[in-house]
Amino acid sequence: MSFTVEDFEDLIRLLEQREDWRRRLQGLLVDRLLGLPEELQAFRQEVERRFGQLEALFEGLARAQARLTDQLQGLVAVVTRLAEAQVQFEQRLSRLEEAQIRTQETLQRLIEAQVQFEQRLSRLEEAMIRTQETLQRLIEAQAQFEQRLTRLE
């Protein structure tokens, strides 16, 4: 059963006609109205308590944010140092690569010089052999000359 507008109008007419009902309804309403400040105070305290919790939560979040910011700044500093170290490493690596190239060029020149040296040594060995052969022929010729000289004497 629902309460309709006609029911409300009937209630108003009854209250106008029956003073004892009206006083009783007023008493109920006054009791309810008198209880509102206590309920309002309890509601206010609950709101303040929850607001305090929210403030504490926000303060905790602010501290956590500050710590994260500090940590992030620390990480940025570390990353910056790493980037600088990387640049220095790359510069040193470039210098090492250049030195390696120079070393390879020097080694190549040494190899070429070694090849030339070996070629010259080989020519010298051949000349030495020819010289020895010539010397041997001279020794033999000297021996023949001495034999002939001895025979002539």
Side-chain angles (χ1 to χ4, degrees), residues 60-144:
L61 287 173
R63 286 190 301 276
Q65 177 67 33
R67 285 192 307 273
L68 285 174
T69 300
D70 291 344
Q71 290 174 349
L72 183 59
Q73 288 173 345
L75 286 174
V76 166
V78 168
V79 168
T80 301
R81 286 194 305 274
L82 284 173
E84 291 168 356
Q86 178 68 25
V87 167
Q88 291 173 357
F89 174 77
E90 288 173 1
Q91 291 170 346
R92 289 178 69 193
L93 185 60
S94 291
R95 288 193 301 269
L96 284 172
E97 288 172 342
E98 292 167 4
Q100 178 66 29
I101 290 170
R102 288 192 304 272
T103 301
Q104 286 175 338
E105 291 170 351
T106 302
L107 184 59
Q108 185 60 38
R109 286 193 303 271
L110 286 172
I111 290 170
E112 291 168 3
Q114 179 67 27
V115 167
Q116 290 173 358
F117 175 78
E118 288 174 0
Q119 290 171 348
R120 286 178 69 195
L121 184 60
S122 187
R123 286 193 304 266
L124 282 173
E125 286 173 342
E126 290 170 3
M128 178 65 95
I129 290 171
R130 284 192 308 270
T131 301
Q132 285 175 346
E133 289 171 352
T134 302
L135 185 59
Q136 186 61 38
R137 283 193 307 269
L138 281 174
I139 290 171
E140 290 171 2
Q142 178 68 29
Q144 288 174 1

Side-chain angles (χ1 to χ4, degrees), residues 1-4 7:
M1 172 174 191
S2 61
F3 193 77
T4 64
D7 294 333

Side-chain angles (χ1 to χ4, degrees), residues 23 29 38 49 52 56 59 61 67 74 80 129 141 145 150:
R23 268 186 266 123
L29 290 176
E38 288 177 11
R49 184 183 69 77
E59 287 173 4
L61 287 173
R67 285 192 307 273
T80 301
I129 290 171
F145 176 74
T150 302

